[in-house]
DNA sequence: CTCTCGATGCGCT
DNA sequence: GCGCATCGAGAGA
């Protein structure tokens, strides 16, 4: 399967977000392919977006989003979770897209082990149905911050199978206190896996 | 299913 | 010090 090219990311963020649905997220983990079908994302639109980490400008944490598109922005939050974004648009935009949920494809048993490190067995549906969960399942942490999604050896996106408009829905973004006024969350209605029971 | 709450560490005002 | 782009446990319906 072919990787998405650099130009894929170098477009308006909302356009890229919609286009990310159905693509395959691939993580090479000690020689093994772990992968999933992207079914939920959220767009973060730069310094003017009150919900974005870029809202205070190019701070050290948000800096990757101000760099070249097609690189990863990984951040650590709530003292214990990591979340994966891909950087979009041109250098200086401060924009990115949070990957919120994938359907596991390859390496399901490894993902299960990663997720069971503490706690009880995890059903396949709950393996990767949330940004913190999929990062844990795919062993994504700060080492992958700024990773090159086009040429890098550890993390990338493949064409997958784009989903048609009839399968796509939008909503407000999840877990925010500011910036809930725009439908910047995109998800696949028919997905096996949902990061939000309400939708 | 729903809701609430605590864990836990860091970025930023 | 405050507030998180989160998650899981526990309680209730």
């Amino acid at each position: 399967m072919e990787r998405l090219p650099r130009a894929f990311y170098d477009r308006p963020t909302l356009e890229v977000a919609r286009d990310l649905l159905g693509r395959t997220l691939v993580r090479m983990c000690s020689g093994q392919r772990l992968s999933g079908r992207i079914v939920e994302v959220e767009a973060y639109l730069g310094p003017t977006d009150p919900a974005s980490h870029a809202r205070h400008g190019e701070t050290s944490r948000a800096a990757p989003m101000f760099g070249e598109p097609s690189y990863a922005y990984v951040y650590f939050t709530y003292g214990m979770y990591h979340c994966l974004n891909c950087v979009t648009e041109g250098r200086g935009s401060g924009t990115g897209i949070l990957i919120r949920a994938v359907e596991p494809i390859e390496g399901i048993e490894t993902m299960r082990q990663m997720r069971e490190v503490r706690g009880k067995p995890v059903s396949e549906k709950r393996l990767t149905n949330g940004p913190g969960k999929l990062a844990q399942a795919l062993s994504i942490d700060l080492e992958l911050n700024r990773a090159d999604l086009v040429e890098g050896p550890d993390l990338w996106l493949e064409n997958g199978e784009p989903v048609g408009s009839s399968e796509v829905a939008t909503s407000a973004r999840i877990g925010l206190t500011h910036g809930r006024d725009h439908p910047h969350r995109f998800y696949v209605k028919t997905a096996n896996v949902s990061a939000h029971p309400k939708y």
Side-chain angles (χ1 to χ4, degrees), chain A residues 178-191:
Chain A
H178 299 109
R180 297 192 150 221
D181 42 344
H182 298 290
H184 292 338
R185 171 173 174 258
F186 298 78
Y187 62 101
V188 179
K189 283 188 282 188
T190 54

Side-chain angles (χ1 to χ4, degrees), chain A residues 4-199:
Chain A
L4 296 174
R6 226 173 271 293
F8 176 91
Y9 304 91
D10 192 2
R11 294 183 290 154
T13 302
L14 292 171
E15 198 176 302
V16 180
R18 157 68 182 85
D19 204 1
L20 238 24
L21 296 176
R23 309 294 184 171
T24 308
L25 174 64
V26 181
R27 162 77 166 128
M28 288 305 294
C29 194
S30 23
Q32 187 189 16
R33 264 179 73 104
L34 308 179
S35 72
R37 174 188 181 231
I38 297 174
V39 294
E40 178 176 339
V41 300
E42 282 176 358
Y44 287 87
L45 302 185
T48 59
D49 181 345
S52 173
H53 291 166
R55 67 187 177 281
H56 296 124
E58 192 174 343
T59 61
S60 60
R61 179 172 66 160
M65 286 197 287
F66 289 85
E68 293 292 328
S70 76
Y71 287 75
Y73 164 48
V74 178
Y75 66 88
F76 180 67
T77 192
Y78 289 102
M80 55 186 108
Y81 298 107
H82 298 275
C83 294
L84 170 68
N85 296 250
C86 45
V87 177
T88 58
E89 300 192 30
R91 172 173 284 281
S93 65
T95 56
I97 297 166
L98 172 68
I99 315 275
R100 285 191 57 86
V102 305
E103 291 175 345
I105 300 174
E106 297 163 279
I108 295 177
E109 281 316 306
T110 300
M111 293 186 203
R112 213 184 287 280
Q113 288 167 20
M114 296 303 300
R115 294 271 293 121
E116 284 173 12
V117 168
R118 76 179 193 205
K120 300 187 172 182
V122 184
S123 71
E124 187 169 326
K125 283 194 173 184
R126 299 190 173 182
L127 227 37
T128 54
N129 65 334
K133 298 184 209 178
L134 77 87
Q136 186 177 28
L138 299 183
S139 192
I140 291 168
D141 61 20
L142 289 177
E143 286 186 16
L144 289 171
N145 194 23
R146 298 178 182 273
D148 182 349
L149 301 177
V150 180
E151 305 272 336
D154 301 317
L155 184 67
W156 63 85
L157 279 77
E158 296 177 353
N159 287 335
E161 185 145 349
V163 300
S165 319
S166 62
E167 289 186 82
V168 176
T170 63
S171 81
R173 293 170 294 185
I174 306 290
L176 310 181
T177 53
H178 299 109
R180 297 192 150 221
D181 42 344
H182 298 290
H184 292 338
R185 171 173 174 258
F186 298 78
Y187 62 101
V188 179
K189 283 188 282 188
T190 54
N192 258 338
V193 152
S194 172
H196 208 282
K198 192 171 167 187
Y199 300 100

